[in-house]
Amino acid sequence: MKFIIALVVSVAIVFCEHAAAQDHGSTKAQQALSLIDVDLDSAEEMIIEAISDNPHSAKDHFYCGRIMGRQASDAFFSALSYAKKSLACLQKAVALAPKNVDYRKGLINFYLGAPSIAGGDKQAALEQVNVIKQLDSSQGVVVELDYYRKIKELLTLEKRLAHALTADPQSAIVHYQYGLLLQQTGDYNRAQSHFVLASEQGENREIAYEALYQLGRNAVFAKDFISQGTAALQHYLTIENSTVMPSKSWAHYRLSQLYTLHSDNTLAQKHRLLAADTDDKVLLNLLEN
């Protein structure tokens, strides 16, 4: 359960940066967030004070959701208590800023990631999806696709993707999501085609960049498209990563796998060493095997 709550925390707050334009929040709340990786207990005390002083700031409550969520991920006996506090803060942020799509996205991710005992609720998540569709139809399409992917209703997801592509054949996010679905089901050839199309669309640079990473990753799974995957990852390494994109260490790891498939052991070892420059425990574990 602790792992699940930690995952919830990580995904529930990735949308906070976009929300900042509408509500700057209090200085004290910003200071509290800055302590999250330094002194979590002090961050908790400070965010409680910030909310007491500034109870109508949606962003302060959103920060509260992040800090309480981190406490949940680090706690043991009090993990559920902190998770519920995190959820309450996220819900309050949405109540204070009901038209803010990004806060609702965070709430959806909590509902889908948390166990029911901690507030997880698929139906509540779907209700938020439907609200977002009314607030912003373009973002609603993306959120709905993400919803069905996360609850693993793959047949429904494929139908929604096909419908979305009919409506907008050039949509990078839809091609990207379609690629992920096909990759998940082992249809690597079709997945590669959709990742190529996503990488070529310019209206969403972050999705285009993530598609580059997936071109390399999919080539590893397919044991094919080696040159295309290598070129995509080399390009990916030249761009500036956002915090929600795969790290450059992961790109180096995928390159090492592709060079191994290509029987270029020298370059494979070079990129394995570059990949090891990370604190990512999952990746480090893979590199040890």
Side-chain angles (χ1 to χ4, degrees):
M1 182 179 296
K2 185 176 179 181
F3 170 78
I4 295 174
I5 293 173
L7 176 63
V8 171
V9 174
S10 69
V11 298
I13 45 96
V14 296
F15 307 101
C16 190
E17 295 305 318
H18 299 296
Q22 297 181 12
D23 178 2
H24 295 291
S26 68
T27 300
K28 187 173 288 186
Q30 293 172 14
Q31 291 172 342
L33 191 65
S34 72
L35 293 173
I36 195 169
D37 295 317
V38 180
D39 186 341
L40 191 53
D41 288 338
S42 294
E44 179 186 350
E45 292 176 7
M46 192 172 291
I47 196 64
I48 290 172
E49 292 176 6
I51 288 174
S52 178
D53 295 341
N54 196 26
H56 301 297
S57 169
K59 190 170 185 183
D60 281 17
H61 284 279
F62 208 78
Y63 282 161
C64 172
R66 178 172 188 174
I67 292 167
M68 295 303 178
R70 180 68 68 85
Q71 285 282 33
S73 70
D74 289 355
F76 184 75
F77 294 110
S78 55
L80 285 178
S81 175
Y82 275 120
K84 290 176 181 179
K85 290 177 182 177
S86 177
L87 176 56
C89 286
L90 293 170
Q91 290 173 327
K92 186 64 174 179
V94 168
L96 288 168
K99 293 184 179 181
N100 190 303
V101 170
D102 295 315
Y103 292 157
R104 290 185 184 275
K105 288 178 182 178
L107 191 53
I108 289 168
N109 281 291
F110 188 101
Y111 285 139
L112 293 181
S116 59
I117 194 173
D121 188 331
K122 291 181 182 178
Q123 184 57 39
L126 183 58
E127 290 171 5
Q128 293 297 323
V129 169
N130 290 331
V131 173
I132 291 174
K133 288 170 67 176
Q134 293 175 4
L135 292 171
D136 186 323
S137 59
S138 61
Q139 290 203 57
V141 170
V142 176
V143 172
E144 184 178 47
L145 292 174
D146 198 48
Y147 170 82
Y148 286 110
R149 179 175 62 82
K150 286 176 178 172
I151 66 172
K152 296 182 172 57
E153 288 193 10
L154 302 187
L155 290 177
T156 302
L157 174 58
E158 186 161 16
K159 290 179 181 178
R160 293 287 195 278
L161 284 164
H163 183 268
L165 273 184
T166 299
D168 185 1
Q170 304 303 315
S171 172
I173 185 63
V174 176
H175 280 296
Y176 180 75
Q177 292 263 12
Y178 219 142
L180 290 177
L181 172 63
L182 293 167
Q183 186 183 78
Q184 185 176 349
T185 58
D187 192 344
Y188 302 124
N189 287 355
R190 290 175 63 205
Q192 197 78 357
S193 298
H194 283 286
F195 289 138
V196 168
L197 290 168
S199 72
E200 293 173 346
Q201 303 305 317
E203 85 277 10
N204 189 324
R205 285 189 177 183
E206 190 165 288
I207 291 298
Y209 292 158
E210 291 197 35
L212 288 173
Y213 175 80
Q214 291 298 334
L215 281 169
R217 181 172 181 260
N218 195 66
V220 171
F221 296 157
K223 296 181 173 58
D224 199 355
F225 320 112
I226 307 297
S227 297
Q228 186 180 51
T230 300
L233 287 171
Q234 288 171 338
H235 185 189
Y236 185 81
L237 286 169
T238 67
I239 64 180
E240 192 68 33
N241 291 48
S242 75
T243 56
V244 297
M245 292 168 61
S247 70
K248 291 188 176 182
S249 291
W250 275 100
H252 283 298
Y253 174 63
R254 297 303 180 190
L255 272 172
S256 75
Q257 292 179 300
L258 289 177
Y259 282 122
T260 297
L261 289 170
H262 195 56
S263 299
D264 191 332
N265 295 328
T266 300
L267 283 176
Q269 182 61 21
K270 172 187 173 182
H271 286 283
R272 282 182 68 86
L273 291 172
L274 290 168
D277 184 19
T278 181
D279 295 325
D280 188 321
K281 293 180 181 179
V282 174
L283 178 53
L284 289 172
N285 185 56
L286 286 171
L287 289 166
E288 288 176 1
N289 297 326

